[in-house]
Amino acid sequence: MSVDVVPMVEARAVCKHYSGVEVLKGVDLTVNRGEVTCLIGPSGSGKSTLLRCINHLEKHDAGELLVDGQLVGYEARDGKLYERSDKQICVERSRIGMVFQRFNLFQHLTVLDNVTIGQVKVKNVSPDAAATRARELLARVGLDAKEKNYPSQLSGGQQQRVAIARALAMEPKLMLFDEPTSALDPELVGEVLDVMKDLARSGMTMIVVTHEMGFAREVADTVYFLDRGIIEESGDPRQVLTAPSSERLKSFLSKVL
Amino acid sequence: MTSDGGDAVKVVPVRHVGRWIAGAVMIVVVAMLVHTLFSKVSTGQVSCRTVNGLRTCHPVTNWRFSWNIVFHYFTSSEILHGLLLTIELTILAMVMGIVLGITIAVMRLSPNRLLSSTAWSYTWFFRGTPVYVQLLFWFNISAIYQSLSIGIPFTHVAFLHINAVSLFNPFRAALIGLGLNEGAYMSEIARSGLIAVDEGQIEAASSLGMTRGQTLRLVVLPQAMRVIIPPTGNEVISMLKTTSLASAISVVEVLGAAQNIYAANYEVMPLLITASVWYLIITTVLSIGQFYLERHFARGAQRTPPPTPIARLRQDVKGILAKFRTPRPAMTREVTA
């Protein structure tokens, strides 16, 4: 990546607190286009909150957060910050895909409808074109035979792959994964990680909150270790995961590996 | 040892003596009920005939429940007109109640405090006063408002004027009374349905870029329906019967029609039975409709939808037939070793 290209995500001293508890205490992070970034750290360290701030599912309290060179949730004009309207925020969100720990597929819709609904209702794609694209994506995640099923009829791994297809259907410029394999039975983790690796190879910019150190080492371009709301250590996964310099990361890795 | 599942283990089943006794008692009670329903009583009159110069007399008897009168009025035009009005009132009041209820439930869950407290007050007021009183209130509203007008409060500017007496005719007063009251109950039902939808569904919808309205319409409400439908079915059935209160404000629905008839011929009981049988028939039809509606909205929530009553009946009959079929001999297969 050339230096003059704006990074996909840039966080500068981002802070967030819920009713007195500081979850993020000044986080700096840069995610370049086409790169895979993994966020690791103990639970409660603020990984998920950071991810949700990027999607504006949570509002950050302080600091600057830019996605694709634009402030998240605000607009800077004449040296002032203006809150964006709900409509504008919806447009921003539609360009960022998100995959949740608990899949959150729409239970009342078939697999195919789950993947088309966003295209049709948000992007105003025609139902036929949406279905064609949905079938392509379902084939890509290996679930084209399940399009008529309801989510409750699928295994966790299959549901998560549908969730990935649903997010990809919006043609996102950035994909956020919030512990995508944590709710899965161990033997189903692999199939989801395979889809994610495939996606990473295709050049998608991804931020992945994960406890899968093997995945981080294999796929990530950069790993960030968060602890108690600050970034303790970051860098190349081989460096960070095999020769950690901070004591906290050493003790964390000794527990998870 | 048998390798296939064909031969079940042979056991002497436990005898459920208590069940047999309870069953026998129930049969006697039901028989008594059927007997009294179709029993005949003396009218106190005697009818005599002379046949071949021989005069014979016997007391005249009649159905205790006057089924002949019930049958006579069952499809009379007054009763059928009343029935139509009952159905009309039920449907319209329920539609009004459901629309109001969902609106109020959404208002109640709004982050806007003014909206949510207005919604709370509405429910508080209409649930807190008897529906009968509300009906009388709307029927007599023209006593305090001679005319209604839409305009700017505290000024004399008005855009629309309506005469209250003509607006609140008995049917409309009943409809407004029942509908507003139902709105309060439906709002609580709708609210419980909306709350029951997982927060993750809303987040997923937002992350796709759906607006609040789209999320509500496309994701939350369809899933809330599964929770909302069963109690709403109860509300419809309850509404069907509550419309009988409208007879008190001179709406001639089915009970009102029955009352009009017995006011003239004093056959009070047969006409009350006529009205009751009609209520039972419609309630039965509504229950069947509710079953299929629930089945429709349960899609996605259950892996296999529950069988329809007809399918279940077929299954039961098959099961009973299988019991009575002659049992196979325990060992029919040749033992080949």
Side-chain angles (χ1 to χ4, degrees):
Chain A
M1 282 286 145
S2 59
V3 193
D4 57 312
V5 172
V6 192
M8 183 57 81
V9 178
E10 199 161 17
R12 293 191 209 109
V14 168
C15 296
K16 169 77 188 170
H17 67 84
Y18 299 105
S19 52
V21 184
E22 271 199 273
V23 187
L24 297 176
K25 304 171 195 165
V27 169
D28 294 295
L29 165 136
T30 306
V31 177
N32 291 317
R33 281 156 204 279
E35 281 189 2
V36 177
T37 303
C38 282
L39 302 180
I40 60 169
S43 61
S45 59
K47 313 179 297 284
S48 292
T49 305
L50 179 59
L51 208 62
R52 295 160 64 84
C53 284
I54 293 170
N55 204 2
H56 209 53
L57 283 175
E58 308 275 358
K59 279 183 189 169
H60 58 282
D61 314 315
E64 253 185 358
L65 188 52
L66 294 113
V67 172
D68 206 4
Q70 296 221 317
L71 286 172
V72 173
Y74 306 98
E75 199 176 354
R77 261 186 284 134
D78 326 319
K80 277 188 192 167
L81 282 183
Y82 293 89
E83 207 172 356
R84 283 186 198 272
S85 72
D86 289 350
K87 262 244 159 62
Q88 288 172 310
I89 288 169
C90 284
V91 172
E92 274 179 42
R93 280 201 191 119
S94 72
R95 303 295 320 277
I96 302 172
M98 184 141 186
V99 174
F100 300 87
Q101 183 178 352
R102 306 214 56 87
F103 331 132
N104 296 350
L105 288 180
F106 303 132
Q107 297 295 319
H108 62 303
L109 298 178
T110 61
V111 164
L112 187 72
D113 290 343
N114 262 284
V115 185
T116 56
I117 189 168
Q119 301 181 68
V120 175
K121 300 293 179 182
V122 178
K123 291 182 71 187
N124 295 319
V125 177
S126 80
D128 287 340
T132 310
R133 177 158 174 74
R135 291 202 176 94
E136 272 169 35
L137 288 165
L138 286 174
R140 188 167 159 191
V141 299
L143 287 170
D144 39 340
K146 300 277 185 190
E147 63 168 68
K148 288 196 175 67
N149 286 80
Y150 285 97
S152 62
Q153 297 166 322
L154 302 182
S155 74
Q158 290 172 331
Q159 288 193 51
Q160 194 61 297
R161 277 144 65 197
V162 174
I164 293 172
R166 175 176 70 177
L168 288 177
M170 302 300 287
E171 297 178 310
K173 54 190 177 183
L174 168 68
M175 284 284 285
L176 308 175
F177 293 85
D178 190 2
E179 302 198 24
T181 57
S182 297
L184 296 177
D185 289 340
E187 79 270 22
L188 302 178
V189 169
E191 60 186 70
V192 172
L193 291 183
D194 285 344
V195 169
M196 289 168 64
K197 283 175 197 167
D198 180 52
L199 194 59
R201 272 194 294 274
S202 75
M204 176 62 74
T205 312
M206 295 161 64
I207 305 179
V208 185
V209 171
T210 189
H211 292 295
E212 295 291 330
M213 295 304 147
F215 175 82
R217 191 174 307 149
E218 188 186 333
V219 183
D221 296 287
T222 318
V223 169
Y224 285 83
F225 172 63
L226 261 92
D227 189 39
R228 298 176 192 179
I230 52 169
I231 288 177
E232 277 279 328
E233 199 165 334
S234 65
D236 186 278
R238 273 147 299 191
Q239 174 67 34
V240 173
L241 296 177
T242 49
S245 55
S246 87
E247 283 306 316
R248 290 205 163 279
L249 180 52
K250 273 179 201 163
S251 95
F252 174 71
L253 289 175
S254 72
K255 280 173 205 149
V256 293
L257 285 178
Chain B
M1 283 284 123
T2 55
S3 53
D4 65 333
D7 300 316
V9 184
K10 288 218 156 205
V11 287
V12 180
V14 176
R15 309 254 177 244
H16 297 284
V17 182
R19 285 186 205 173
W20 282 102
I21 294 173
V25 170
M26 278 324 292
I27 289 172
V28 171
V29 170
V30 170
M32 285 162 75
L33 198 69
V34 171
H35 174 249
T36 191
L37 271 176
F38 298 101
S39 61
K40 292 199 163 186
V41 287
S42 162
T43 54
Q45 291 164 328
V46 178
S47 100
C48 296
R49 276 194 308 172
T50 310
V51 182
N52 299 337
L54 209 71
R55 190 177 148 84
T56 54
C57 289
H58 55 88
V60 175
T61 58
N62 225 336
W63 297 104
R64 187 189 293 278
F65 277 78
S66 312
W67 291 113
N68 50 328
I69 303 174
V70 172
F71 194 73
H72 178 257
Y73 284 105
F74 196 65
T75 50
S76 68
S77 68
E78 292 107 308
I79 291 288
L80 289 184
H81 268 122
L83 187 68
L84 201 67
L85 212 58
T86 293
I87 295 172
E88 232 174 280
L89 205 53
T90 305
I91 294 172
L92 291 177
M94 267 326 284
V95 168
M96 190 168 156
I98 289 169
V99 171
L100 260 173
I102 291 177
T103 313
I104 288 160
V106 172
M107 278 170 67
R108 183 82 189 273
L109 298 171
S110 155
N112 185 334
R113 287 295 296 269
L114 207 60
L115 286 184
S116 66
S117 54
T118 308
W120 181 87
S121 313
Y122 179 94
T123 313
W124 168 77
F125 182 81
F126 284 97
R127 276 206 314 186
T129 51
V131 63
Y132 187 39
V133 176
Q134 289 173 34
L135 285 179
L136 292 172
F137 179 87
W138 291 110
F139 185 57
N140 293 300
I141 188 102
S142 49
I144 51 172
Y145 291 104
Q146 276 76 36
S147 69
L148 296 178
S149 55
I150 296 171
I152 301 168
F154 304 111
T155 65
H156 293 290
V157 183
F159 311 115
L160 190 66
H161 258 294
I162 311 165
N163 182 303
V165 181
S166 63
L167 178 67
F168 289 98
N169 67 17
F171 182 80
R172 288 192 202 136
L175 176 60
I176 290 168
L178 293 171
L180 289 180
N181 185 69
E182 189 55 35
Y185 285 92
M186 277 309 300
S187 79
E188 286 298 287
I189 292 172
R191 193 166 70 97
S192 69
L194 294 176
I195 292 172
V197 176
D198 181 31
E199 190 71 25
Q201 298 284 312
I202 298 163
E203 282 189 357
S206 315
S207 80
L208 287 178
M210 286 189 196
T211 61
R212 251 181 73 89
Q214 281 177 321
T215 304
L216 185 71
R217 214 174 59 245
L218 303 170
V219 175
V220 178
L221 268 181
Q223 295 189 63
M225 280 303 176
R226 196 169 53 83
V227 180
I228 294 174
I229 292 285
T232 303
N234 286 341
E235 288 296 307
V236 176
I237 288 168
S238 155
M239 173 63 79
L240 175 77
K241 293 172 295 169
T242 310
T243 54
S244 63
L245 289 179
S247 63
I249 55 168
S250 67
V251 177
V252 189
E253 38 66 73
V254 74
L255 178 64
Q259 286 173 326
N260 283 354
I261 298 170
Y262 70 61
N265 66 7
Y266 303 111
E267 296 284 4
V268 178
M269 289 304 276
L271 280 149
L272 289 181
I273 292 168
T274 307
S276 303
V277 172
W278 271 120
Y279 281 119
L280 275 173
I281 290 172
I282 305 176
T283 308
T284 309
V285 172
L286 288 174
S287 307
I288 295 169
Q290 184 185 355
F291 174 83
Y292 284 97
L293 209 61
E294 275 175 35
R295 219 171 105 94
H296 172 75
F297 279 104
R299 72 193 194 285
Q302 289 156 312
R303 288 175 189 218
T304 48
T308 60
I310 296 163
R312 199 176 302 163
L313 190 72
R314 206 177 293 144
Q315 225 169 41
D316 286 353
V317 170
K318 227 185 250 174
I320 290 167
L321 285 181
K323 259 190 190 170
F324 283 108
R325 214 169 287 150
T326 46
R328 270 179 299 160
M331 290 292 259
T332 48
R333 281 175 296 106
E334 286 151 43
V335 183
T336 51

